[in-house]
């Protein structure tokens, strides 16, 4: 894979992760019926609402790809 293709895959992953992250915070009603649960979500402090544009991060990735391609072109 070229660096540009890898960057596209990374950006696509984070886009879909950000639009679906809120779904990971839902808990089924049967889960609440338990009195004891070893892995409840009380201590999961990750944000669950993301801006799906990732403007700053994607701009940095694009700049890095441009630098890599310039370096490869100069060889």
């Amino acid at each position: 894979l070229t660096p540009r293709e890898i960057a596209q895959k990374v950006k696509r992953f984070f886009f879909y992760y950000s639009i679906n992250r809120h779904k990971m915070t839902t808990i089924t009603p049967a889960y609440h019926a338990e009195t004891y649960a070893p892995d409840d979500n009380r201590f999961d402090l990750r944000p669950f609402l993301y801006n799906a544009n990732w403007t700053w991060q994607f701009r940095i990735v694009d700049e890095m790809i441009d630098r890599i391609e310039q370096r490869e072109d100069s060889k």
Side-chain angles (χ1 to χ4, degrees), residues 10-71:
V10 167
K11 291 196 282 188
R12 190 176 311 125
F13 169 81
F14 278 103
F15 172 76
Y16 285 108
Y17 175 80
S18 62
I19 64 174
N20 291 314
R21 170 68 176 109
H22 71 282
K23 295 176 185 176
M24 289 186 263
T25 62
T26 59
I27 301 174
T28 61
Y31 189 85
H32 289 292
E34 295 283 328
T35 57
Y36 169 75
D39 58 344
D40 58 3
N41 288 334
R42 278 184 291 176
F43 305 111
D44 185 5
L45 301 177
R46 294 177 294 168
F48 61 92
L49 294 176
Y50 287 102
N51 181 359
N53 294 331
W54 295 92
T55 52
W56 184 83
Q57 291 86 352
F58 288 174
R59 182 174 47 83
I60 298 298
V61 169
D62 291 335
E63 289 173 5
M64 291 177 68
I65 293 300
D66 291 339
R67 276 191 264 151
I68 290 171
E69 288 177 345
Q70 286 175 356
R71 194 175 329 135

